[in-house]
Amino acid sequence: TIDAPDCARAYFQFALKYDPSCPATHHQIILNYLATGQFDDAKEHWLQLHTQNIFTRSQLQQLEQALPIQIQATLPSLELATEVDQLDKQLSQDPQNEKAWHQLCKLYQDNQLFSRALECCQLANQALGKSAEWEQFSLQLRKQQAEGRIIFYEQASPASTNFAAPGLMDELADELIRVRTEYYQSRCTTFPNDKDNFVRLAWCLSEADNSYEALTVFNNIDLSQLTPRWSVIALLGQGETEQRLRQFEKAVESFKNALNIFEKSLEDIQQSDPELVDIPTLQHEQIGLRLLKRSKLLAQAMDLPQITQQCAAIAKKTSLSIDI
């Protein structure tokens, strides 16, 4: 009631020590997780109810029916609890079984039980010895967790999201940007020859309003080591960042270079899958359309008819509408 969900959760857990079989307490814990954007932790709590055998199937069904409808379809099954229990027993007898660790992590990952998967990575790392593989997997899981939370609450219908705290989506978006930035910083260090990751990192920094740091990364990218599509994405991001910093002449130059590359590789770039780019800003808008709109708008403001005409010519070739 007074917007102190973490404190409330602590009291709920305290209450469970006195009465672990109280359905109302478990119901409130799950609602608490949902209200704070942790739908995956709500699912994990449900899995615990299966593994601890606190309730009968009939009691679990009653508890499930009392939960918001959008979480009901995603709750872990009894079969999943059985699989987890079998792998746990296998690992307790043979903690050096790397295959079993991978199976358990994958099981949690596939069922969006990210906190469990992250804990599993940590335990595997301790049992098998520190490994860059497990550390990279942990970063990937944290990224998937942040992305999964955004998707879950975006897909929930407005009428059924009254359990969510005000401003939740903004908090989840900020967390996603922070986690993505950390993830791609690590990827750039671990795989320096994969230049696409530097473009993604620069976009992450730009989206996090770290414009000067983003521009440093953009400026250090060698376009000759990128495909035409990634060159356009890099120059588009660089131009938008420069424009945000009121470096309009530089922004125009970046957009112009991007337009020239785009014009030469229209078919390949237009047919590319935006989901594979893994830049959230560009997943809701075609790369070419965004470039044309940004370039045309800035060119009009700076009275640069040549660029405006180039945008119009490209739009005609691609059937993209750039009316502003």
Side-chain angles (χ1 to χ4, degrees):
T1 303
I2 62 171
D3 193 23
D6 292 339
C7 186
R9 192 177 305 149
Y11 277 103
F12 288 138
Q13 296 293 346
F14 191 64
L16 287 182
K17 292 183 179 180
Y18 288 91
D19 187 0
S21 62
C22 175
T25 306
H26 291 285
H27 179 257
Q28 289 298 324
I29 288 174
I30 292 173
L31 289 183
N32 180 283
Y33 279 128
L34 290 174
T36 53
Q38 297 167 262
F39 88 98
D40 48 313
D41 290 325
K43 292 172 58 173
E44 180 183 336
H45 187 81
W46 184 264
L47 181 63
Q48 288 177 350
L49 296 183
H50 276 307
T51 55
Q52 294 171 358
N53 295 318
I54 296 173
F55 299 113
T56 64
R57 283 205 173 194
S58 175
Q59 289 173 321
L60 282 175
Q61 285 178 344
Q62 291 178 357
L63 180 56
E64 179 180 350
Q65 290 167 4
L67 295 172
I69 192 168
Q70 65 270 33
I71 191 67
Q72 289 183 24
T74 72
L75 292 174
S77 63
L78 179 59
E79 289 72 23
L80 174 63
T82 303
E83 288 184 73
V84 168
D85 185 55
Q86 290 173 347
L87 284 168
D88 277 338
K89 289 179 179 177
Q90 189 175 345
L91 285 167
S92 66
Q93 297 170 359
D94 182 14
Q96 298 295 314
N97 190 332
E98 187 172 355
K99 182 179 178 181
W101 281 115
H102 279 288
Q103 287 177 331
L104 185 56
C105 275
K106 189 73 166 56
L107 192 61
Y108 286 139
Q109 181 186 26
D110 290 346
N111 287 276
Q112 296 184 304
L113 296 163
F114 297 112
S115 294
R116 284 261 185 133
L118 286 163
E119 183 183 7
C120 187
C121 274
Q122 185 178 7
L123 293 172
N125 215 2
Q126 292 172 357
L128 301 171
K130 287 193 175 181
S131 164
E133 177 191 0
W134 290 106
E135 292 173 3
Q136 284 296 315
F137 191 28
S138 293
L139 283 170
Q140 181 185 343
L141 284 168
R142 288 180 57 211
K143 177 172 169 286
Q144 289 180 347
Q145 182 183 48
E147 291 169 341
R149 289 176 175 179
I150 286 275
I151 292 170
F152 177 83
Y153 288 93
E154 280 182 341
Q155 291 178 344
S157 62
S160 59
T161 54
N162 54 2
F163 58 78
L168 175 63
M169 290 304 294
D170 290 338
E171 293 177 13
L172 292 177
D174 290 343
E175 175 67 7
L176 176 58
I177 291 173
R178 187 184 67 78
V179 171
R180 282 177 53 79
T181 301
E182 185 178 343
Y183 175 75
Y184 280 115
Q185 283 173 332
S186 175
R187 299 288 290 182
C188 289
T189 301
T190 308
F191 306 104
N193 293 325
D194 190 351
K195 302 303 179 182
D196 299 356
N197 286 328
F198 288 89
V199 182
R200 294 186 180 100
L201 173 60
W203 271 90
C204 287
L205 293 167
S206 183
E207 291 167 347
D209 291 329
N210 292 329
S211 298
Y212 287 104
E213 193 175 347
L215 202 53
T216 299
V217 179
F218 277 126
N219 287 331
N220 288 330
I221 293 172
D222 184 354
L223 297 180
S224 67
Q225 296 181 317
L226 299 175
T227 63
R229 178 176 69 155
W230 278 104
S231 295
V232 168
I233 293 171
L235 289 166
L236 172 60
Q238 182 173 341
E240 290 188 13
T241 306
E242 289 164 339
Q243 188 173 358
R244 194 177 304 120
L245 294 172
R246 305 183 68 80
Q247 299 177 10
F248 299 119
E249 296 292 339
K250 290 183 178 180
V252 166
E253 190 64 25
S254 295
F255 286 147
K256 186 177 179 181
N257 290 336
L259 287 169
N260 291 336
I261 296 173
F262 182 56
E263 194 168 13
K264 292 177 182 177
S265 306
L266 284 175
E267 188 173 342
D268 290 341
I269 296 175
Q270 285 292 96
Q271 291 178 351
S272 60
D273 185 352
E275 295 294 326
L276 299 178
V277 171
D278 194 27
I279 297 175
T281 306
L282 299 180
Q283 287 180 1
H284 303 290
E285 186 176 15
Q286 291 184 46
I287 296 167
L289 182 60
R290 186 182 179 99
L291 172 62
L292 292 175
K293 284 184 175 180
R294 293 299 178 102
S295 302
K296 180 182 177 181
L297 192 61
L298 184 59
Q300 288 176 335
M302 297 182 68
D303 192 21
L304 299 170
Q306 185 177 357
I307 294 179
T308 305
Q309 292 167 7
Q310 184 180 13
C311 289
I314 295 174
K316 188 175 181 180
K317 291 179 184 177
T318 56
S319 300
L320 294 172
S321 175
I322 57 170
D323 292 333
I324 300 174

